Amino acid sequence: MIEGRIHRVSGPIVHAKGLGGAGLFDVVEVGENRIIGEIIRIEEDNAVIQVYEDDTGLKVGSAARSTGRPLSVLLGPGLIGTIYDGIQRPLNTLYQQDGPFLKPGSRGKALDLNKKWEFIPNPELAQKIKEGQHIVATTGMILGTIKETESIVCKIMVPPDAAGETLAELAEQGKYTCLEHIARTVSGKEIPIVQWWPVRAPRPVAQKLAPDTPLITGLRVIDAFFPLSKGGTAAIPGGFGTGKTMTQHAIAKWCDADVIVYIGCGERGNEMTDVLTEFPHLIDPRTGRSLMERTILIANTSNMPVAAREVSIYTGVTLAEFYRDMGYHVAIMADSTSRWAEALRELSGRMEEMPAEEGFPAYLPTRLAEFYERAGRVTTLNGNEGSVSIIGAVSPPGGDFSEPVTQHTKRFIRCFWALDRELANARHYPAISWIDSYSEYAEEVQPWWERVNPLWAKLRRSALELLKKEQRLAEIVRLIGPDALPDDQRLILLTADLIKNGFLQQNSFDEIDMYCVPDKQIHILSLILEFHERAMAIIKLGSPLMSITALPVKERLARLKSEIKNDDLDSFIVFEREMRDSLEALERTYKTKEAVL
């Protein structure tokens, strides 16, 4: 352990002499309370340390001791369902120790080291070792499994420091604590259930795969219009009150990821409280059990030490990679990366670095890239397929998307769900703008969607074109009113309204409409567009728009989303027949009139 002395304190930035022999990003214990910090710069014998706890009362001359290891998290069974702060301290444990306020130097074990877990060894591997076969341990090799929750089975894998050695022994089935070894190599190295991993180092994979499988969220505007693939990256930018957090909550509950990592990064305490109180009571629709049985929460509110925000997203993505390596699909909700960027700005200012635009550090894009590039769909070292999908909320001041965090984020993400204040004020949920949003995954997930319905790409393209035409016509309507438009253009306004209210808008309190399966999404959209095509043909025969709007099927189109259940798709066939019959009857009427004339 290398010990130095503090010679300057500037908020969360501490300067210490005598730490020239320490390593960059080593963990340092600072002051009498031994608060946790990390070396972020070394100049000769001086080290710059950012501390992750409240350093009020820290004095010049106090000790700063380097532990000689990088900031790491403890990985093993027991992570699921736990609430951590940014440096993996369990908040429930700290609350029991110290009460409602974090005290400097408080410690808590990241995992329950006394709990005994039922370990089931890999039967094939156990048989080979029993027969005396030569088995060389490789990083990620699965030694056995532990049932962590009813939803998640934790796979115990060989850590990197034991790779390349020959396995001599594998523990039998039984109950073990996290620190007990469950395997031993010929050289005598013991492999415990848990392992440490540095948060700033991505975990290795065998191969990156193409992002050609969508992450189904149940939100129609996302799945059908702006899809996100498993292993993809997305941003949800929006001003205050536009629904960033609510959208992330809905995705966390309904998306088809196996594990959810929710990072509350610098958010207000009441928003984080909502997450902490609501998530344990939410029911996972796939298992019928608590959503917390597949969720990890990282809580860093705005009144916690600012530096802890900076590391919280790395802690979250490392935990996600751990479950990805087991073959799970993991979704990360980072709320919000703007607060994280503000922490970088604060730390940069304390270090007297030259600021870039709006005071943010010049390396902001690099840090954003380091975070988002850890997403991906991969083949793991043990041959499984897993993924980490990252969905980051961005909180631009005043909803200004031209500010640096939003602009730099757009460089590293491929899915942009822009929240619109006018839609939010109109209670249109989700308030994702169909004009400003985009997805670069649409072509890559197209083969998957075409297995659901071969017309998906055509329907999506036609609907977006109609909405863009409606936007242009809306400007004319504001000037001269809708009655001045010809019937074919008024039909575009009518169909766009059906798409917006009957397809894009969802009711998160409606048991039927809160989640929509892909088949139902395509059925609704295809019926609206078929109605538009047939109605346009009737108008060209001379029918007034009023005759079409008077049809009962027009009103029902907007209600199909909440009338027909996800598993009752035959009802769409019945409605489609009714709609065609009524439109064909109207079409025959005007064809007869045209023939008479």
Side-chain angles (χ1 to χ4, degrees):
M1 182 178 284
I2 302 172
E3 184 170 320
R5 292 287 162 182
I6 296 171
H7 69 88
R8 182 184 174 192
V9 179
S10 177
I13 298 297
V14 175
H15 298 255
K17 293 181 178 179
L19 292 175
L24 193 63
F25 298 121
D26 277 3
V27 172
V28 179
E29 295 179 340
V30 179
E32 296 178 0
N33 292 324
R34 303 173 77 92
I35 63 177
I36 294 175
E38 187 181 22
I39 296 175
I40 56 174
R41 184 187 297 169
I42 297 177
E43 297 171 352
E44 297 179 348
D45 199 38
N46 298 322
V48 179
I49 305 162
Q50 65 181 24
V51 293
Y52 297 128
E53 302 180 62
D54 182 11
D55 62 354
T56 302
L58 195 62
K59 294 181 273 188
V60 171
S62 298
R65 304 174 184 85
S66 170
T67 61
R69 63 175 179 83
L71 185 66
S72 305
V73 290
L74 188 62
L75 304 175
L79 293 171
I80 298 291
T82 308
I83 305 165
Y84 295 108
D85 72 347
I87 50 177
Q88 211 197 10
R89 295 185 298 176
L91 294 180
N92 281 341
T93 302
L94 297 185
Y95 174 76
Q96 293 169 4
Q97 288 178 189
D98 305 324
F101 295 100
L102 290 173
K103 293 182 179 178
S106 293
R107 296 290 184 272
K109 300 297 182 183
L111 299 174
D112 187 348
L113 302 181
N114 297 318
K115 182 176 180 177
K116 288 185 175 289
W117 298 92
E118 182 72 22
F119 173 74
I120 301 175
N122 183 335
E124 184 179 344
L125 188 62
Q127 184 63 30
K128 289 180 179 179
I129 293 174
K130 189 175 181 180
E131 293 172 356
Q133 295 186 32
H134 182 76
I135 304 295
V136 178
T138 57
T139 303
M141 176 186 284
I142 296 173
L143 301 173
T145 59
I146 288 174
K147 191 171 185 179
E148 190 169 354
T149 68
E150 291 298 321
S151 307
I152 300 297
V153 174
C154 182
K155 298 172 184 175
I156 310 303
M157 299 172 287
V158 173
D161 60 354
E165 299 198 34
T166 303
L167 291 175
E169 178 186 331
L170 183 63
E172 296 180 353
Q173 180 173 346
K175 294 193 174 183
Y176 302 86
T177 63
C178 286
L179 296 180
E180 290 185 80
H181 74 272
I182 42 88
R184 186 172 54 81
T185 65
V186 171
S187 64
K189 182 174 183 58
E190 295 180 342
I191 301 175
I193 289 174
V194 296
Q195 57 180 271
W196 289 94
W197 190 270
V199 297
R200 297 185 187 273
R203 289 176 65 88
V205 299
Q207 180 186 7
K208 279 217 168 187
L209 302 174
D212 55 11
T213 304
L215 182 74
I216 300 300
T217 64
L219 298 176
R220 291 184 289 268
V221 65
I222 292 177
D223 294 343
F225 279 11
F226 311 110
L228 172 66
S229 74
K230 287 181 178 174
T233 52
I236 311 180
F240 175 77
T242 53
K244 299 182 295 295
T245 303
M246 292 305 299
T247 305
Q248 285 190 319
H249 284 195
I251 295 172
K253 180 179 180 181
W254 293 107
C255 75
D256 60 347
D258 302 306
V259 177
I260 303 296
V261 179
Y262 192 96
I263 307 170
C265 185
E267 286 302 290
R268 291 171 292 278
N270 61 334
E271 288 195 6
M272 207 62 228
T273 301
D274 286 344
V275 176
L276 300 180
T277 54
E278 286 178 12
F279 268 47
H281 300 291
L282 290 177
I283 301 301
D284 183 353
R286 293 187 297 172
T287 63
R289 302 181 62 85
S290 171
L291 189 63
M292 285 299 291
E293 292 190 1
R294 62 181 182 97
T295 303
I296 303 171
L297 296 177
I298 296 177
N300 261 112
T301 55
S302 52
N303 65 335
M304 288 184 176
V306 68
R309 295 186 205 170
E310 196 269 338
V311 77
S312 63
I313 63 170
Y314 297 108
T315 299
V317 77
T318 303
L319 299 181
E321 288 176 340
F322 176 59
Y323 286 94
R324 175 206 66 190
D325 290 350
M326 300 179 198
Y328 290 116
H329 296 287
V330 187
I332 296 178
M333 310 293 157
D335 187 13
S336 99
T337 54
S338 292
R339 308 281 180 262
W340 169 79
E342 287 168 7
L344 287 182
R345 180 166 60 184
E346 165 79 8
L347 297 170
S348 176
R350 294 286 186 175
M351 291 188 289
E352 301 175 359
E353 295 174 334
M354 182 67 72
E357 52 185 332
E358 296 192 19
F360 289 103
Y363 49 79
L364 173 63
T366 304
R367 296 292 179 83
L368 282 167
E370 287 175 354
F371 173 56
Y372 283 108
E373 287 173 0
R374 289 175 72 168
R377 177 170 159 260
V378 303
T379 300
T380 65
L381 295 176
N382 50 45
N384 290 318
E385 180 190 308
S387 69
V388 172
S389 308
I390 298 179
I391 302 167
V394 185
S395 309
D400 178 16
F401 290 177
S402 65
E403 59 89 36
V405 180
T406 307
Q407 289 301 310
H408 289 312
T409 299
K410 290 176 76 173
R411 296 168 55 187
F412 309 113
I413 54 99
R414 297 185 61 196
C415 202
F416 190 74
W417 300 326
L419 296 177
D420 185 90
R421 183 173 296 280
E422 289 186 8
L423 289 175
N425 291 341
R427 300 296 185 264
H428 185 288
Y429 170 82
I432 295 173
S433 167
W434 45 85
I435 302 299
D436 299 323
S437 302
Y438 64 84
S439 172
E440 296 177 6
Y441 296 111
E443 289 187 8
E444 287 167 297
V445 302
Q446 182 175 332
W448 186 95
W449 270 101
E450 287 182 342
R451 289 195 291 272
V452 177
N453 190 308
L455 298 176
W456 174 78
K458 180 185 176 183
L459 294 171
R460 175 179 179 270
R461 186 167 53 251
S462 299
L464 288 172
E465 286 174 0
L466 274 171
L467 291 169
K468 288 177 181 176
K469 287 179 183 177
E470 185 263 350
Q471 185 194 26
R472 291 193 293 269
L473 290 172
E475 297 174 4
I476 300 172
V477 168
R478 279 195 290 268
L479 292 173
I480 61 175
D483 294 336
L485 295 177
D487 281 353
D488 58 341
Q489 292 184 351
R490 290 171 62 198
L491 177 63
I492 292 174
L493 297 177
L494 172 67
T495 308
D497 194 57
L498 283 174
I499 293 173
K500 288 187 284 187
N501 296 323
F503 182 75
L504 296 177
Q505 188 175 24
Q506 288 185 238
N507 186 346
S508 60
F509 297 103
D510 187 287
E511 291 186 2
I512 296 176
D513 194 35
M514 62 173 60
Y515 176 79
C516 192
V517 297
D519 277 321
K520 181 178 174 180
Q521 296 182 30
I522 298 300
H523 274 92
I524 295 174
L525 190 58
S526 64
L527 285 171
I528 293 173
L529 293 176
E530 183 179 351
F531 172 83
H532 175 78
E533 289 177 8
R534 289 179 174 270
M536 187 65 77
I538 295 170
I539 286 174
K540 287 179 180 178
L541 290 172
S543 169
L545 182 62
M546 190 182 301
S547 300
I548 297 168
T549 56
L551 295 174
V553 292
K554 178 261 174 184
E555 295 298 328
R556 278 203 66 199
L557 270 174
R559 301 196 305 269
L560 290 179
K561 60 181 184 179
S562 56
E563 284 185 356
I564 300 178
K565 296 181 179 180
N566 287 314
D567 57 355
D568 185 23
L569 300 181
D570 288 341
S571 295
F572 282 105
I573 300 172
V574 175
F575 175 79
E576 183 178 18
R577 192 179 302 117
E578 292 176 6
M579 184 183 76
R580 285 178 177 172
D581 289 345
S582 61
L583 289 171
E584 285 173 0
L586 188 61
E587 186 176 7
R588 283 194 300 271
T589 300
Y590 284 93
K591 276 185 177 179
T592 304
K593 288 183 179 180
E594 187 179 43
V596 170
L597 293 173

